[in-house]
Amino acid sequence: MSPSLSLRMANSVAFVFVFVCLSMSSYFHTMAHEWPAGGSTRFYDFKVQTMRVTKLCNTKEIVTVNKMFPGPVVYVQEDDRIIVNVTNETPYNATIHWHGVRQKLSCWFDGPSYITQCPIQAGQSFTYEFTMVKQKGTFFWHAHVSWLRATVYGAIVVYPKTGVPYPFKHPYEEHNVILGEYWLRDVLQLERQVLASGGPAPPADAFTINGHPGPNYNCSRNDVYRIDVVPGKTYLLRLINAGLNMENFFAIANHKLTVVEADAEYTKPFTTDRVMLGPGQTMNVLVTADQPIGKYSMAMGPYMSAQNISFQRISAIAYFQYLGAVPNSVSLPAKLPNFNDNLAVKTVMDGLRSLNPVDVPKMIDTNLFVTVGLNVNKCRSKTPRKNCRGMNNGTFAASMNNISFVKPTISILEAYYKKIGGQFTVDFPGAPLQFYDFANGAPNNAPNNTQAINGTRTKVLKFGSRVQLIFQDTSTVTTENHPIHLHGYSFYVVGYGTGNFNPQTASFNLIDPPYMNTIGVPVGGWAAIRFVADNPGVWFMHCHLDIHQSWGLGAVLIVENGKGELETLPHPPADLPRC
Ligand code: C2O
């Protein structure tokens, strides 16, 4: 990197800090305080507040952080200490999760409600404190209680340490591009109604890019996000899918995207026309403004691999607009794949390789096989027309190894740490109780037994154990790509394929697999991940489609303490919320 480029980088970081200071004035300041490894400590103040917004000619109250939508960006550097004081000024329960942050020895601050903490109740506050230990790249924070994430999210940008360049030519500018879904109705009410109905979730009213739906929807012509670009320059877009219930394609008209990072880990540069991100995934792409001067669409559209589900088909559009373009001209349309283009998804996955050879565990201590999918439970209501609107007059559920996860009444971490009984069990099975042709249905399919077992089950792992986990999609109700997210870890995605996992024929990449925190398990297929369980705590593993999470598509891994202070989870913080 040339001195002028590194200067520009320093300047752009400084600019960003100044910008944040101004826009968040009273609640942002830095301290010269040193944390181990030489990082700085960065303080943020998050006030969870409601705000009236008008979008798509509809005015409603949404829950936000600091009355910003999307919320404030957390800008830090690798190895920095982050301290965020979160005050809940809404009548609803709130928590914040720092998605992708591995929370080394800081499980108490991870954020998923009823897993590592009780929600922050109305009027209460909680201070999250953690260090970005050896992590950099694009992350995001989001609420982790009910469907609050619909509007409570924002980017986390972690720069390399001072003087450490990116492993690619330094971009002229960087932009955060957060994909979301927007509902005209109150999402918390919507969640309650959907769950009470036993039926499917209705589609979002619009997709959004940085909170803006773009011109394609009713009454949204001027609600468009725009990046002004200088001809010939290269831009780094930090893509984040914060959507609730949909996976999405993203493309820019006439421009190539070069993927250089996925889930906050560098990848070998991979050039493509479009990418797919499931909720919970982030991706950095380089885009060079090498086309004739004009106004180009950046489009976000649906990837729907499930069958018989209604979803939003209209794309959100933002503008990638060259300086000198006629402002009121129509934008050139971006070509998105068809909504069910599984091959386009596979092509992106095939292109994701860690930048350098990586240290994948070769010997495995714990082998887990976990089915992921939907269920239909028998109707138990006296008013089935109201409450049993799932398939075959049942109620929809979802499960891992056919166990539908039920949240406890206090957090599992607290129950585990303080040895409070009755909140969870340790019998999450390492394999399904029943093996069948998962990818092709029978026998666990209508009109056969599609019932899930309810439970708050955990799987206990010894500190340092080398874990392989195979996720297998099932076809009960429908096959579908599920974005499975693991808290507390990144994992190597060593293999994936369609159909049933077969150890005889599966081929694994143990050389340069991507290191991710959310894996889209292929529709009607499987994915294999590996990691070393070296971070003690209670870690949620779940589908990042919120409707599936609400239906129980999750389980909890408990990683025991190892030896000594550096392998032991510290005491809980004094202000840990009570239930
Ligand atoms: Cu992005 Cu459990 O969450």
Side-chain angles (χ1 to χ4, degrees), residues 97-228:
H97 167 55
W98 317 91
H99 184 111
V101 177
R102 292 199 276 268
Q103 299 290 0
K104 193 75 196 225
L105 298 181
S106 53
C107 186
W108 296 106
F109 303 102
D110 190 35
S113 54
Y114 302 104
I115 308 295
T116 64
Q117 68 166 98
C118 296
I120 307 168
Q121 293 173 28
Q124 304 292 302
S125 63
F126 179 48
T127 302
Y128 292 86
E129 282 194 56
F130 51 90
T131 302
M132 297 303 305
V133 184
K134 295 195 188 126
Q135 288 196 272
K136 57 179 169 296
T138 305
F139 303 78
F140 71 121
W141 54 264
H142 63 76
H144 210 307
V145 59
S146 59
W147 286 5
L148 217 57
R149 177 162 67 91
T151 55
V152 181
Y153 59 78
I156 306 175
V157 175
V158 184
Y159 293 105
K161 291 193 207 180
T162 310
V164 177
Y166 293 139
F168 43 84
K169 188 171 162 265
H170 201 79
Y172 178 69
E173 263 177 31
E174 302 186 0
H175 294 269
N176 301 329
V177 176
I178 313 184
L179 313 181
E181 283 178 282
Y182 195 80
W183 275 267
L184 298 177
R185 296 168 56 194
D186 179 297
V187 279
L188 298 186
Q189 247 170 42
L190 180 70
E191 180 197 18
R192 270 195 301 279
Q193 281 168 14
V194 168
L195 296 181
S197 78
D205 295 294
F207 294 126
T208 54
I209 297 176
N210 287 343
H212 303 281
N216 287 356
Y217 302 91
N218 180 33
C219 206
S220 64
R221 249 180 73 88
N222 298 316
D223 194 358
V224 192
Y225 180 72
R226 188 181 86 208
I227 299 176
D228 291 313

Side-chain angles (χ1 to χ4, degrees), residues 252-256 290-292 296 332-335:
I252 305 180
N254 299 17
H255 288 75
K256 299 266 183 217
D290 55 5
Q291 294 299 307
Y296 297 86
L332 275 102
K335 278 192 211 71

Side-chain angles (χ1 to χ4, degrees), residues 250-280:
F250 177 86
I252 305 180
N254 299 17
H255 288 75
K256 299 266 183 217
L257 311 173
T258 299
V259 180
V260 290
E261 183 192 300
D263 283 7
E265 293 288 334
Y266 292 133
T267 58
K268 293 194 170 73
F270 163 65
T271 300
T272 171
D273 289 323
R274 62 281 178 110
V275 291
M276 195 287 281
L277 286 89

Side-chain angles (χ1 to χ4, degrees), residues 236-371:
L236 178 71
L237 305 187
R238 298 175 178 272
L239 306 176
I240 296 168
N241 192 340
L244 216 56
N245 291 329
M246 275 299 288
E247 302 188 306
N248 295 97
F249 288 111
F250 177 86
I252 305 180
N254 299 17
H255 288 75
K256 299 266 183 217
L257 311 173
T258 299
V259 180
V260 290
E261 183 192 300
D263 283 7
E265 293 288 334
Y266 292 133
T267 58
K268 293 194 170 73
F270 163 65
T271 300
T272 171
D273 289 323
R274 62 281 178 110
V275 291
M276 195 287 281
L277 286 89
Q281 294 186 307
T282 66
M283 205 177 262
N284 285 8
V285 299
L286 294 171
V287 187
T288 299
D290 55 5
Q291 294 299 307
I293 286 179
K295 187 168 160 187
Y296 297 86
S297 292
M298 296 194 274
M300 164 204 187
Y303 169 49
M304 174 49 81
S305 56
Q307 297 92 60
N308 305 320
I309 301 213
S310 65
F311 57 93
Q312 177 57 256
R313 286 165 191 261
I314 300 172
S315 304
I317 300 291
Y319 299 141
F320 191 76
Q321 187 168 328
Y322 285 58
L323 287 179
V326 184
N328 292 324
S329 58
V330 263
S331 61
L332 275 102
K335 278 192 211 71
L336 288 170
N338 284 335
F339 73 86
N340 57 1
D341 192 341
N342 301 323
L343 187 62
V345 175
K346 182 182 181 308
T347 309
V348 177
M349 269 183 93
D350 290 348
L352 298 182
R353 300 292 170 112
S354 278
L355 177 61
N356 298 307
V358 288
D359 188 20
V360 187
K362 305 282 177 340
M363 305 286 290
I364 297 298
D365 304 302
T366 307
N367 246 299
L368 305 174
F369 185 91
V370 175
T371 60

